[in-house]
Amino acid sequence: MQSAKDSQDRPQLTDREDPVLPERITRSAAARRGESVEDITAWVQRRRKEVDPTVQRIPFAELDGWSFSQETGNLVHRSGRFFTVQGLRASMGEHPDRVSWHQPIIAQLEVGILGVLAREFDGVLHFLMQAKMEPGNPGLVQISPTVQATYSNYTKIHKGADVRYLEYFTDRSRGRILSDVLQSEHGSWFRRKRNRNMVVEVTDPVPDHEDFRWLTLGQIHELLGHDNTMNFDARSALAGLYGAGASFALHSDTEVLSWLAARRSVTPITGVPVSLADIPGWTRDEYSIHHDDERYFRVMAVSVRAGNREVGEWTQPLFEPNGQGIVAFLTRTFNGVPHVLVSARAEAGFSDLELGPTVQCVPRNHEHLPAGEQPPFLGVVRSAAPPRIRYSALLSEEGGRFLNAVSRYLVVEATESEAPLQEPPGFRWVSRDQLAAFTRYSHYVSAQARTLLVCLNTLEA
């Protein structure tokens, strides 16, 4: 299978440079030694009780350090850092007047770190995972990467404590890089946001802490079968580990990249910042900024308290979606090789189209539309019989910026009549290993598709 050699953004270590890494990943995925899943989830529950986090909705007027700018109308922090909630006029395609809308969006240009430490114990790779509190996550405490920090966090703009284990990801001499790539975030709510997704292997002992546990990929895969347990940042960071290369794919890498380039060329994404106070179709009241039809999402504010964060108390804005989402891959097997049906996904905050799930939507936002205007393949996913659902779990999105943003993630076996070999416009069959290979490069695989890739490898394990 050909590789995407023409990309400008490359990870610092590839499987070719470490030919045994795929074997080590496979061995870790097969290992379920040590603590049981029940023990690990009990640890997470215990940390929830010990940290005793609380999140309360508050009016915008009670935000500390945040205010609506008199000049722009945008919601900004007094430091000028962290992030800004601004307005956006978005358009898609060669005729932007035909497909355009206004919305609030998060502008956060700084690049954060989503980093996982790896270490071998008894010949098996383990990964240091954290029980971390995020104000928007169901249950508040979920399993996260070793380090999950924005630039403002780890440069201590908040004047809080140091980010534990950060030095392993900022000092190259401390470990060996297994995966390192800038990846996009949720493009529907972030404008051009990227994080550095890293996995760094160490050989020397790492200081212990009660908020952290060493887990094999096998244990992580098992935990992915539990609702709202493994957070988005952990899924995104670990997605870059997979991909050994398969002997067969319906389309070569070059053909897939050419198809995506052609789609990108006729679907430019334009996002023009505008004042948050002036976006049509949206209303601001004491507690929220919401769409006049009560669709899509709302911007609101919370007060947070947590015992194991760099700062113990704070207030902040959050985005809250209008309902539970559905994110799904349709899958079929060709010549014995699993393939998934990816879409050329356009989102307002993307710089360009990316490979996305077959289905990604909040169904409630489309209920008013006739059947012919519903998202493609949504009906196939929603009507799938249980024996054809290979994977299903409720997973939350980025809990540091989104409140109760939960989707049902699914992998569904499809038939020829439901998902034909000859793909409709905007879709392509790619092998699982092709998709994994593309995660080694920036802006090719979307945030939700990276999660589904880890779910696919959960099935394989």
mmCIF file of all heavy atoms in Angstrom, residues 350-392:
data_model
loop_
_atom_site.group_PDB
_atom_site.id
_atom_site.type_symbol
_atom_site.label_atom_id
_atom_site.label_comp_id
_atom_site.label_asym_id
_atom_site.label_seq_id
_atom_site.Cartn_x
_atom_site.Cartn_y
_atom_site.Cartn_z
ATOM 1 N N PHE A 350 -12.774 24.213 9.851
ATOM 2 C CA PHE A 350 -11.675 23.551 9.149
ATOM 3 C C PHE A 350 -10.986 24.520 8.194
ATOM 4 O O PHE A 350 -11.614 25.436 7.649
ATOM 5 C CB PHE A 350 -12.178 22.366 8.339
ATOM 6 C CG PHE A 350 -12.470 21.118 9.126
ATOM 7 C CD1 PHE A 350 -13.111 20.036 8.528
ATOM 8 C CD2 PHE A 350 -12.113 20.993 10.460
ATOM 9 C CE1 PHE A 350 -13.383 18.872 9.219
ATOM 10 C CE2 PHE A 350 -12.384 19.838 11.168
ATOM 11 C CZ PHE A 350 -13.020 18.769 10.549
ATOM 12 N N SER A 351 -9.706 24.264 7.946
ATOM 13 C CA SER A 351 -9.018 24.966 6.865
ATOM 14 C C SER A 351 -9.268 24.276 5.540
ATOM 15 O O SER A 351 -9.167 24.899 4.483
ATOM 16 C CB SER A 351 -7.512 25.028 7.141
ATOM 17 O OG SER A 351 -6.976 23.728 7.310
ATOM 18 N N ASP A 352 -9.631 22.998 5.564
ATOM 19 C CA ASP A 352 -9.913 22.225 4.358
ATOM 20 C C ASP A 352 -10.713 20.989 4.733
ATOM 21 O O ASP A 352 -10.816 20.631 5.907
ATOM 22 C CB ASP A 352 -8.607 21.804 3.681
ATOM 23 C CG ASP A 352 -8.582 22.102 2.194
ATOM 24 O OD1 ASP A 352 -9.673 22.114 1.581
ATOM 25 O OD2 ASP A 352 -7.496 22.338 1.652
ATOM 26 N N LEU A 353 -11.283 20.315 3.711
ATOM 27 C CA LEU A 353 -12.023 19.080 3.970
ATOM 28 C C LEU A 353 -11.097 18.034 4.578
ATOM 29 O O LEU A 353 -9.907 17.973 4.262
ATOM 30 C CB LEU A 353 -12.630 18.529 2.676
ATOM 31 C CG LEU A 353 -13.997 19.064 2.245
ATOM 32 C CD1 LEU A 353 -13.903 20.527 1.834
ATOM 33 C CD2 LEU A 353 -14.536 18.237 1.078
ATOM 34 N N GLU A 354 -11.666 17.173 5.433
ATOM 35 C CA GLU A 354 -10.927 16.066 6.019
ATOM 36 C C GLU A 354 -11.745 14.784 5.877
ATOM 37 O O GLU A 354 -12.949 14.826 5.627
ATOM 38 C CB GLU A 354 -10.614 16.342 7.497
ATOM 39 C CG GLU A 354 -9.764 17.589 7.704
ATOM 40 C CD GLU A 354 -9.282 17.760 9.142
ATOM 41 O OE1 GLU A 354 -9.375 16.782 9.923
ATOM 42 O OE2 GLU A 354 -8.786 18.854 9.473
ATOM 43 N N LEU A 355 -11.071 13.649 6.031
ATOM 44 C CA LEU A 355 -11.760 12.366 6.006
ATOM 45 C C LEU A 355 -12.561 12.227 7.298
ATOM 46 O O LEU A 355 -11.992 12.254 8.397
ATOM 47 C CB LEU A 355 -10.764 11.218 5.872
ATOM 48 C CG LEU A 355 -9.872 11.251 4.625
ATOM 49 C CD1 LEU A 355 -8.867 10.099 4.664
ATOM 50 C CD2 LEU A 355 -10.699 11.198 3.355
ATOM 51 N N GLY A 356 -13.868 12.084 7.170
ATOM 52 C CA GLY A 356 -14.731 12.027 8.337
ATOM 53 C C GLY A 356 -15.561 10.756 8.363
ATOM 54 O O GLY A 356 -15.473 9.903 7.463
ATOM 55 N N PRO A 357 -16.405 10.605 9.388
ATOM 56 C CA PRO A 357 -17.268 9.429 9.493
ATOM 57 C C PRO A 357 -18.282 9.360 8.353
ATOM 58 O O PRO A 357 -18.521 10.339 7.648
ATOM 59 C CB PRO A 357 -17.980 9.634 10.834
ATOM 60 C CG PRO A 357 -17.125 10.600 11.585
ATOM 61 C CD PRO A 357 -16.534 11.496 10.548
ATOM 62 N N THR A 358 -18.899 8.202 8.192
ATOM 63 C CA THR A 358 -19.998 8.065 7.241
ATOM 64 C C THR A 358 -21.157 8.962 7.649
ATOM 65 O O THR A 358 -21.765 9.644 6.818
ATOM 66 C CB THR A 358 -20.494 6.608 7.183
ATOM 67 O OG1 THR A 358 -19.390 5.699 7.174
ATOM 68 C CG2 THR A 358 -21.369 6.379 5.962
ATOM 69 N N VAL A 359 -21.461 8.951 8.938
ATOM 70 C CA VAL A 359 -22.549 9.764 9.497
ATOM 71 C C VAL A 359 -22.011 10.516 10.696
ATOM 72 O O VAL A 359 -21.344 9.928 11.561
ATOM 73 C CB VAL A 359 -23.753 8.890 9.919
ATOM 74 C CG1 VAL A 359 -24.804 9.734 10.635
ATOM 75 C CG2 VAL A 359 -24.356 8.182 8.720
ATOM 76 N N GLN A 360 -22.298 11.802 10.756
ATOM 77 C CA GLN A 360 -21.936 12.619 11.915
ATOM 78 C C GLN A 360 -22.942 13.749 12.027
ATOM 79 O O GLN A 360 -22.920 14.694 11.228
ATOM 80 C CB GLN A 360 -20.524 13.185 11.763
ATOM 81 C CG GLN A 360 -20.084 14.087 12.912
ATOM 82 C CD GLN A 360 -18.741 14.742 12.654
ATOM 83 O OE1 GLN A 360 -17.831 14.119 12.097
ATOM 84 N NE2 GLN A 360 -18.608 15.997 13.041
ATOM 85 N N CYS A 361 -23.844 13.645 12.985
ATOM 86 C CA CYS A 361 -24.873 14.674 13.121
ATOM 87 C C CYS A 361 -25.564 14.542 14.473
ATOM 88 O O CYS A 361 -25.408 13.547 15.178
ATOM 89 C CB CYS A 361 -25.905 14.560 11.994
ATOM 90 S SG CYS A 361 -26.955 13.091 12.109
ATOM 91 N N VAL A 362 -26.324 15.558 14.814
ATOM 92 C CA VAL A 362 -27.293 15.497 15.909
ATOM 93 C C VAL A 362 -28.657 15.377 15.242
ATOM 94 O O VAL A 362 -29.148 16.342 14.642
ATOM 95 C CB VAL A 362 -27.222 16.752 16.802
ATOM 96 C CG1 VAL A 362 -28.330 16.731 17.841
ATOM 97 C CG2 VAL A 362 -25.857 16.855 17.479
ATOM 98 N N PRO A 363 -29.292 14.205 15.269
ATOM 99 C CA PRO A 363 -30.539 13.997 14.513
ATOM 100 C C PRO A 363 -31.614 15.047 14.789
ATOM 101 O O PRO A 363 -32.365 15.412 13.885
ATOM 102 C CB PRO A 363 -30.979 12.600 14.963
ATOM 103 C CG PRO A 363 -29.706 11.901 15.308
ATOM 104 C CD PRO A 363 -28.840 12.964 15.924
ATOM 105 N N ARG A 364 -31.670 15.552 16.013
ATOM 106 C CA ARG A 364 -32.698 16.521 16.351
ATOM 107 C C ARG A 364 -32.605 17.778 15.479
ATOM 108 O O ARG A 364 -33.617 18.432 15.209
ATOM 109 C CB ARG A 364 -32.563 16.891 17.829
ATOM 110 C CG ARG A 364 -33.632 17.843 18.339
ATOM 111 C CD ARG A 364 -33.455 18.100 19.822
ATOM 112 N NE ARG A 364 -34.355 19.131 20.295
ATOM 113 C CZ ARG A 364 -34.338 19.627 21.530
ATOM 114 N NH1 ARG A 364 -33.462 19.161 22.400
ATOM 115 N NH2 ARG A 364 -35.180 20.573 21.889
ATOM 116 N N ASN A 365 -31.399 18.121 15.029
ATOM 117 C CA ASN A 365 -31.222 19.317 14.199
ATOM 118 C C ASN A 365 -31.777 19.150 12.789
ATOM 119 O O ASN A 365 -31.876 20.134 12.041
ATOM 120 C CB ASN A 365 -29.743 19.693 14.113
ATOM 121 C CG ASN A 365 -29.194 20.177 15.432
ATOM 122 O OD1 ASN A 365 -29.916 20.724 16.258
ATOM 123 N ND2 ASN A 365 -27.902 19.963 15.638
ATOM 124 N N HIS A 366 -32.123 17.911 12.419
ATOM 125 C CA HIS A 366 -32.584 17.639 11.054
ATOM 126 C C HIS A 366 -34.027 17.142 11.009
ATOM 127 O O HIS A 366 -34.531 16.805 9.930
ATOM 128 C CB HIS A 366 -31.659 16.600 10.400
ATOM 129 C CG HIS A 366 -30.214 17.002 10.405
ATOM 130 N ND1 HIS A 366 -29.658 17.779 9.420
ATOM 131 C CD2 HIS A 366 -29.216 16.745 11.290
ATOM 132 C CE1 HIS A 366 -28.375 17.984 9.681
ATOM 133 N NE2 HIS A 366 -28.079 17.375 10.813
ATOM 134 N N GLU A 367 -34.705 17.090 12.149
ATOM 135 C CA GLU A 367 -36.051 16.535 12.204
ATOM 136 C C GLU A 367 -37.046 17.321 11.360
ATOM 137 O O GLU A 367 -38.046 16.769 10.882
ATOM 138 C CB GLU A 367 -36.527 16.484 13.660
ATOM 139 C CG GLU A 367 -35.809 15.432 14.504
ATOM 140 C CD GLU A 367 -36.225 15.493 15.966
ATOM 141 O OE1 GLU A 367 -36.871 16.505 16.352
ATOM 142 O OE2 GLU A 367 -35.904 14.560 16.718
ATOM 143 N N HIS A 368 -36.788 18.603 11.163
ATOM 144 C CA HIS A 368 -37.722 19.446 10.408
ATOM 145 C C HIS A 368 -37.560 19.292 8.897
ATOM 146 O O HIS A 368 -38.366 19.820 8.135
ATOM 147 C CB HIS A 368 -37.503 20.914 10.777
ATOM 148 C CG HIS A 368 -36.143 21.443 10.400
ATOM 149 N ND1 HIS A 368 -34.987 21.027 11.029
ATOM 150 C CD2 HIS A 368 -35.756 22.333 9.437
ATOM 151 C CE1 HIS A 368 -33.955 21.652 10.503
ATOM 152 N NE2 HIS A 368 -34.392 22.441 9.536
ATOM 153 N N LEU A 369 -36.536 18.558 8.462
ATOM 154 C CA LEU A 369 -36.253 18.421 7.036
ATOM 155 C C LEU A 369 -36.979 17.213 6.451
ATOM 156 O O LEU A 369 -37.175 16.198 7.132
ATOM 157 C CB LEU A 369 -34.743 18.259 6.806
ATOM 158 C CG LEU A 369 -33.858 19.421 7.269
ATOM 159 C CD1 LEU A 369 -32.386 19.053 7.124
ATOM 160 C CD2 LEU A 369 -34.169 20.687 6.462
ATOM 161 N N PRO A 370 -37.348 17.280 5.163
ATOM 162 C CA PRO A 370 -37.927 16.100 4.506
ATOM 163 C C PRO A 370 -36.895 14.988 4.401
ATOM 164 O O PRO A 370 -35.683 15.230 4.491
ATOM 165 C CB PRO A 370 -38.337 16.622 3.127
ATOM 166 C CG PRO A 370 -37.527 17.859 2.912
ATOM 167 C CD PRO A 370 -37.299 18.449 4.266
ATOM 168 N N ALA A 371 -37.362 13.773 4.190
ATOM 169 C CA ALA A 371 -36.484 12.595 4.197
ATOM 170 C C ALA A 371 -35.329 12.738 3.213
ATOM 171 O O ALA A 371 -34.189 12.339 3.503
ATOM 172 C CB ALA A 371 -37.299 11.341 3.882
ATOM 173 N N GLY A 372 -35.580 13.322 2.057
ATOM 174 C CA GLY A 372 -34.542 13.447 1.046
ATOM 175 C C GLY A 372 -33.437 14.408 1.411
ATOM 176 O O GLY A 372 -32.379 14.400 0.772
ATOM 177 N N GLU A 373 -33.647 15.234 2.425
ATOM 178 C CA GLU A 373 -32.635 16.202 2.840
ATOM 179 C C GLU A 373 -31.973 15.820 4.154
ATOM 180 O O GLU A 373 -31.171 16.580 4.696
ATOM 181 C CB GLU A 373 -33.268 17.594 2.954
ATOM 182 C CG GLU A 373 -33.798 18.132 1.635
ATOM 183 C CD GLU A 373 -34.438 19.489 1.781
ATOM 184 O OE1 GLU A 373 -34.074 20.221 2.738
ATOM 185 O OE2 GLU A 373 -35.304 19.835 0.957
ATOM 186 N N GLN A 374 -32.296 14.642 4.673
ATOM 187 C CA GLN A 374 -31.634 14.147 5.870
ATOM 188 C C GLN A 374 -30.189 13.768 5.536
ATOM 189 O O GLN A 374 -29.859 13.488 4.384
ATOM 190 C CB GLN A 374 -32.378 12.925 6.414
ATOM 191 C CG GLN A 374 -33.798 13.201 6.871
ATOM 192 C CD GLN A 374 -33.858 13.829 8.249
ATOM 193 O OE1 GLN A 374 -33.021 13.560 9.110
ATOM 194 N NE2 GLN A 374 -34.846 14.683 8.481
ATOM 195 N N PRO A 375 -29.281 13.731 6.521
ATOM 196 C CA PRO A 375 -27.903 13.327 6.244
ATOM 197 C C PRO A 375 -27.839 11.950 5.583
ATOM 198 O O PRO A 375 -28.557 11.020 5.997
ATOM 199 C CB PRO A 375 -27.262 13.299 7.639
ATOM 200 C CG PRO A 375 -28.064 14.279 8.429
ATOM 201 C CD PRO A 375 -29.475 14.131 7.928
ATOM 202 N N PRO A 376 -27.004 11.777 4.549
ATOM 203 C CA PRO A 376 -26.888 10.468 3.893
ATOM 204 C C PRO A 376 -26.519 9.373 4.884
ATOM 205 O O PRO A 376 -25.713 9.584 5.797
ATOM 206 C CB PRO A 376 -25.756 10.692 2.875
ATOM 207 C CG PRO A 376 -25.735 12.162 2.629
ATOM 208 C CD PRO A 376 -26.138 12.796 3.927
ATOM 209 N N PHE A 377 -27.137 8.210 4.710
ATOM 210 C CA PHE A 377 -26.865 6.993 5.475
ATOM 211 C C PHE A 377 -27.345 7.055 6.928
ATOM 212 O O PHE A 377 -27.178 6.082 7.671
ATOM 213 C CB PHE A 377 -25.377 6.612 5.439
ATOM 214 C CG PHE A 377 -24.852 6.380 4.045
ATOM 215 C CD1 PHE A 377 -24.025 7.319 3.440
ATOM 216 C CD2 PHE A 377 -25.181 5.240 3.341
ATOM 217 C CE1 PHE A 377 -23.531 7.121 2.162
ATOM 218 C CE2 PHE A 377 -24.699 5.019 2.060
ATOM 219 C CZ PHE A 377 -23.878 5.965 1.461
ATOM 220 N N LEU A 378 -27.949 8.167 7.353
ATOM 221 C CA LEU A 378 -28.443 8.228 8.727
ATOM 222 C C LEU A 378 -29.514 7.176 8.967
ATOM 223 O O LEU A 378 -29.516 6.498 10.008
ATOM 224 C CB LEU A 378 -28.995 9.627 9.030
ATOM 225 C CG LEU A 378 -29.641 9.819 10.411
ATOM 226 C CD1 LEU A 378 -28.652 9.540 11.534
ATOM 227 C CD2 LEU A 378 -30.211 11.237 10.549
ATOM 228 N N GLY A 379 -30.414 6.996 8.010
ATOM 229 C CA GLY A 379 -31.458 5.992 8.156
ATOM 230 C C GLY A 379 -30.897 4.587 8.250
ATOM 231 O O GLY A 379 -31.402 3.748 9.017
ATOM 232 N N VAL A 380 -29.833 4.295 7.481
ATOM 233 C CA VAL A 380 -29.205 2.970 7.525
ATOM 234 C C VAL A 380 -28.648 2.702 8.918
ATOM 235 O O VAL A 380 -28.822 1.615 9.481
ATOM 236 C CB VAL A 380 -28.079 2.870 6.472
ATOM 237 C CG1 VAL A 380 -27.327 1.548 6.604
ATOM 238 C CG2 VAL A 380 -28.638 3.038 5.072
ATOM 239 N N VAL A 381 -27.974 3.690 9.488
ATOM 240 C CA VAL A 381 -27.371 3.524 10.804
ATOM 241 C C VAL A 381 -28.447 3.370 11.883
ATOM 242 O O VAL A 381 -28.369 2.476 12.738
ATOM 243 C CB VAL A 381 -26.452 4.722 11.122
ATOM 244 C CG1 VAL A 381 -26.000 4.694 12.580
ATOM 245 C CG2 VAL A 381 -25.241 4.720 10.196
ATOM 246 N N ARG A 382 -29.480 4.202 11.820
ATOM 247 C CA ARG A 382 -30.500 4.190 12.876
ATOM 248 C C ARG A 382 -31.366 2.934 12.835
ATOM 249 O O ARG A 382 -31.913 2.515 13.871
ATOM 250 C CB ARG A 382 -31.379 5.429 12.779
ATOM 251 C CG ARG A 382 -30.620 6.726 12.970
ATOM 252 C CD ARG A 382 -31.519 7.935 12.963
ATOM 253 N NE ARG A 382 -32.164 8.152 14.257
ATOM 254 C CZ ARG A 382 -32.915 9.208 14.560
ATOM 255 N NH1 ARG A 382 -33.127 10.146 13.647
ATOM 256 N NH2 ARG A 382 -33.457 9.336 15.747
ATOM 257 N N SER A 383 -31.490 2.329 11.668
ATOM 258 C CA SER A 383 -32.341 1.142 11.553
ATOM 259 C C SER A 383 -31.557 -0.164 11.598
ATOM 260 O O SER A 383 -32.142 -1.236 11.421
ATOM 261 C CB SER A 383 -33.134 1.207 10.241
ATOM 262 O OG SER A 383 -32.260 1.179 9.118
ATOM 263 N N ALA A 384 -30.254 -0.107 11.837
ATOM 264 C CA ALA A 384 -29.428 -1.325 11.812
ATOM 265 C C ALA A 384 -29.866 -2.303 12.899
ATOM 266 O O ALA A 384 -30.086 -1.921 14.055
ATOM 267 C CB ALA A 384 -27.961 -0.962 11.993
ATOM 268 N N ALA A 385 -29.988 -3.566 12.514
ATOM 269 C CA ALA A 385 -30.339 -4.603 13.480
ATOM 270 C C ALA A 385 -29.161 -4.849 14.418
ATOM 271 O O ALA A 385 -28.000 -4.740 14.015
ATOM 272 C CB ALA A 385 -30.694 -5.900 12.747
ATOM 273 N N PRO A 386 -29.419 -5.175 15.679
ATOM 274 C CA PRO A 386 -28.341 -5.356 16.660
ATOM 275 C C PRO A 386 -27.212 -6.283 16.215
ATOM 276 O O PRO A 386 -26.041 -5.974 16.480
ATOM 277 C CB PRO A 386 -29.080 -5.910 17.887
ATOM 278 C CG PRO A 386 -30.449 -5.314 17.782
ATOM 279 C CD PRO A 386 -30.754 -5.280 16.305
ATOM 280 N N PRO A 387 -27.484 -7.418 15.516
ATOM 281 C CA PRO A 387 -26.356 -8.272 15.121
ATOM 282 C C PRO A 387 -25.368 -7.600 14.163
ATOM 283 O O PRO A 387 -24.229 -8.056 14.041
ATOM 284 C CB PRO A 387 -27.046 -9.471 14.440
ATOM 285 C CG PRO A 387 -28.430 -9.474 14.976
ATOM 286 C CD PRO A 387 -28.778 -8.036 15.176
ATOM 287 N N ARG A 388 -25.798 -6.532 13.485
ATOM 288 C CA ARG A 388 -24.911 -5.866 12.533
ATOM 289 C C ARG A 388 -24.181 -4.681 13.152
ATOM 290 O O ARG A 388 -23.367 -4.040 12.496
ATOM 291 C CB ARG A 388 -25.714 -5.404 11.321
ATOM 292 C CG ARG A 388 -26.206 -6.591 10.476
ATOM 293 C CD ARG A 388 -27.215 -6.163 9.439
ATOM 294 N NE ARG A 388 -26.753 -5.006 8.690
ATOM 295 C CZ ARG A 388 -27.565 -4.115 8.127
ATOM 296 N NH1 ARG A 388 -28.868 -4.255 8.264
ATOM 297 N NH2 ARG A 388 -27.085 -3.106 7.456
ATOM 298 N N ILE A 389 -24.464 -4.386 14.413
ATOM 299 C CA ILE A 389 -23.757 -3.301 15.096
ATOM 300 C C ILE A 389 -22.514 -3.888 15.754
ATOM 301 O O ILE A 389 -22.586 -4.577 16.766
ATOM 302 C CB ILE A 389 -24.674 -2.623 16.140
ATOM 303 C CG1 ILE A 389 -25.892 -2.010 15.439
ATOM 304 C CG2 ILE A 389 -23.901 -1.558 16.909
ATOM 305 C CD1 ILE A 389 -26.923 -1.436 16.387
ATOM 306 N N ARG A 390 -21.374 -3.606 15.150
ATOM 307 C CA ARG A 390 -20.118 -4.173 15.633
ATOM 308 C C ARG A 390 -19.599 -3.461 16.879
ATOM 309 O O ARG A 390 -18.922 -4.061 17.710
ATOM 310 C CB ARG A 390 -19.060 -4.086 14.524
ATOM 311 C CG ARG A 390 -19.414 -4.828 13.244
ATOM 312 C CD ARG A 390 -19.112 -6.302 13.360
ATOM 313 N NE ARG A 390 -17.792 -6.564 13.898
ATOM 314 C CZ ARG A 390 -16.643 -6.448 13.229
ATOM 315 N NH1 ARG A 390 -16.657 -6.049 11.959
ATOM 316 N NH2 ARG A 390 -15.493 -6.732 13.795
ATOM 317 N N TYR A 391 -19.883 -2.173 16.966
ATOM 318 C CA TYR A 391 -19.421 -1.387 18.118
ATOM 319 C C TYR A 391 -20.481 -0.339 18.430
ATOM 320 O O TYR A 391 -21.058 0.259 17.514
ATOM 321 C CB TYR A 391 -18.084 -0.690 17.822
ATOM 322 C CG TYR A 391 -17.630 0.245 18.935
ATOM 323 C CD1 TYR A 391 -16.841 -0.216 19.975
ATOM 324 C CD2 TYR A 391 -18.010 1.588 18.936
ATOM 325 C CE1 TYR A 391 -16.450 0.628 21.002
ATOM 326 C CE2 TYR A 391 -17.615 2.440 19.960
ATOM 327 C CZ TYR A 391 -16.832 1.957 20.983
ATOM 328 O OH TYR A 391 -16.444 2.793 22.006
ATOM 329 N N SER A 392 -20.703 -0.099 19.717
ATOM 330 C CA SER A 392 -21.657 0.930 20.130
ATOM 331 C C SER A 392 -21.315 1.378 21.541
ATOM 332 O O SER A 392 -21.214 0.561 22.459
ATOM 333 C CB SER A 392 -23.098 0.408 20.086
ATOM 334 O OG SER A 392 -24.003 1.377 20.592
#
